[in-house]
Amino acid sequence: MELEETSILRKEVAKLAGVSEATVSRVLNGVGPVREETRRRVLEAAQRLDYVPSALAQRFARRKSGNLGVILPLLPKVNVFSTHYFSEILSGIGVAAKRRGYDLLLLLREPEEQKDYVGLFRAQKIDACIVLGAHDTPGEREALEELRLGRHPFCLVNQRFDHAPYSTIDADQRMGVEAAVGHLLQQGCRRIMLLGGPEAYSNSLDRLEGYRSALADAGIPFDPELVLNGNYSRTSGYALAEAVANHVCAGRVDAVIAANDRMAIGLLQGLKERGVSVPGQVALIGCDDSEGARLTDPPLSSIAVPFVDIGREAASRLLDQLEQTDREEEGLPCFQDKLPVRLVPRGSSSMQH
């Protein structure tokens, strides 16, 4: 019934504008060349008749699915949708996609699963995709390069591949760690430890660069023994508490910067169990500024990362690219942006010297 009514309305628009139904379809679906004067007459006629073509019809005419794919890692023992990082980014992506008339198609993948991103485009399931949780492995690089060579629009979030022309939206993690080191120096700390993440993630390397740069600016020599790596889980932060406590009790560490709040909260719990006082004996700063950072005792200082904005920007830029670029003739321009972060000081880094 809906299709029949749409056909009748399209005929009325064509009659009022003095053009064919095919011309009406081309104008309203944005397909094919149409003279500006003709386009104006059709739009005016459609407005007078209060005719709006269905989104389904528009997608069919453009040979698009209307879906923006979001590829997510399926992590063991982790509810991806309840974590601050993924839920905030997905919220931003969803808002931007909805405003542009796109639906989200969420695609979960196992860490060791063979990656066939191009297959999603070949099956016309998605028109563009955003990849979350990508890391630097041969399989990941191969799958992304296949996307690029096929001129399929995609964007990476919080992951960068140096010397590879992939579109990326990221947070300025280096800037965040530099701000954290500066804050700790102001508190009188001089023996600052970095609790980083896996080296396969570019943001882990960015934090390390920011840490080394800030120490060098302060005239403090870099000590590789004061860099420990976890895996971004609360459990890994807790597991490193014994090593951190030994450093603190030996006078080798008076502050720790953790790569995310989950590791910082795990570390805080482990230090308390070992009788190490935060911030009395050691200052602590996390990263993400999640809700949990406000609920710890003491409240956790953290580097606030605008995950919602990152998701919104990734979707907006990608859909702009999809709608404005002729992929067959021109290829896809690459965009790489970093959004600023800010330090939120709380009780865990307030040292009394």
Side-chain angles (χ1 to χ4, degrees):
M1 184 66 181
E2 182 181 346
L3 290 175
E4 182 179 344
E5 291 176 354
T6 298
S7 178
I8 293 173
L9 283 168
R10 192 167 56 243
K11 288 180 180 179
E12 293 178 359
V13 171
K15 183 177 179 181
L16 183 59
V19 299
S20 67
E21 289 184 51
T23 299
V24 172
S25 294
R26 285 200 299 272
V27 171
L28 297 181
N29 291 309
V31 177
V34 178
R35 286 178 13 183
E36 181 59 30
E37 182 181 347
T38 301
R39 188 184 72 83
R40 180 182 56 78
R41 290 208 317 271
V42 170
L43 292 177
E44 288 178 354
Q47 186 176 15
R48 287 177 59 185
L49 295 171
D50 196 26
Y51 170 55
V52 178
S54 71
L56 181 61
Q58 288 181 316
R59 292 172 185 175
F60 181 79
R62 296 177 184 176
R63 295 183 180 179
K64 294 184 183 299
S65 69
N67 291 326
L68 173 61
V70 181
I71 298 172
L72 298 159
L74 186 60
L75 303 173
K77 301 181 182 180
V78 175
N79 185 342
V80 169
F81 299 103
S82 69
T83 61
H84 177 77
Y85 172 82
F86 288 110
S87 63
E88 293 282 285
I89 291 177
L90 284 173
S91 177
I93 293 173
V95 167
K98 181 67 174 177
R99 289 175 179 171
R100 305 288 283 271
Y102 279 80
D103 296 321
L104 294 187
L105 182 61
L106 302 183
L107 306 147
L108 292 166
R109 61 175 192 187
E110 299 276 0
E112 304 304 322
E113 181 181 342
Q114 185 175 358
K115 300 167 180 61
D116 180 22
Y117 302 152
V118 168
L120 299 170
F121 288 89
R122 288 174 181 157
Q124 294 187 336
K125 291 183 178 180
I126 60 175
D127 302 323
C129 75
I130 295 173
V131 183
L132 302 182
H135 55 293
D136 196 351
T137 63
E140 190 84 60
R141 282 183 173 267
E142 182 179 348
L144 295 175
E145 187 63 11
E146 190 177 4
L147 279 178
R148 186 186 71 83
L149 293 175
R151 296 181 177 179
H152 299 296
F154 71 97
C155 175
L156 303 173
V157 168
N158 288 340
Q159 176 65 25
R160 184 184 66 259
F161 291 83
D162 290 332
H163 312 300
Y166 303 148
S167 292
T168 303
I169 301 294
D170 203 350
D172 195 338
Q173 300 289 356
R174 175 170 178 161
M175 165 190 171
V177 173
E178 288 175 344
V181 171
H183 168 72
L184 292 170
L185 292 173
Q186 290 177 352
Q187 298 296 308
C189 301
R190 288 296 180 272
R191 301 176 298 280
I192 303 170
M193 170 177 277
L194 177 66
L195 185 56
E199 294 182 358
Y201 296 102
S202 60
N203 51 32
S204 298
L205 302 178
D206 290 343
R207 292 189 189 96
L208 179 58
E209 288 182 7
Y211 170 75
R212 297 188 66 159
S213 173
L215 291 181
D217 289 344
I220 299 174
F222 171 73
D223 183 353
E225 292 189 3
L226 298 188
V227 176
L228 302 178
N229 287 333
N231 64 6
Y232 294 132
S233 70
R234 180 170 177 168
T235 302
S236 71
Y238 181 82
L240 289 168
E242 183 174 358
V244 175
N246 290 338
H247 279 291
V248 172
C249 293
R252 293 190 294 268
V253 167
D254 58 11
V256 178
I257 301 170
N260 71 351
D261 289 345
R262 290 168 64 84
M263 285 199 296
I265 291 170
L267 176 62
L268 178 61
Q269 179 184 354
L271 291 177
K272 282 186 175 182
E273 292 177 3
R274 289 163 175 78
V276 177
S277 172
V278 176
Q281 292 174 266
V282 60
L284 178 60
I285 296 178
C287 181
D288 292 350
D289 194 31
S290 62
E291 183 178 350
R294 301 166 179 79
L295 303 178
T296 59
D297 181 23
L300 181 65
S301 298
S302 188
I303 300 164
V305 180
F307 291 126
V308 173
D309 293 339
I310 288 172
R312 185 187 298 116
E313 183 73 5
S316 296
R317 293 290 298 274
L318 190 57
L319 293 176
D320 284 343
Q321 185 184 77
L322 178 64
E323 294 171 3
Q324 296 174 7
T325 303
D326 184 345
R327 301 205 301 268
E328 297 301 323
E329 295 181 3
E330 300 177 19
L332 293 170
C334 178
F335 56 85
Q336 295 181 339
D337 291 334
K338 285 188 177 183
L339 276 62
V341 301
R342 62 185 177 86
L343 179 68
V344 182
R346 297 191 180 96
S348 68
S349 63
S350 178
M351 300 288 285
Q352 302 295 325
H353 290 274

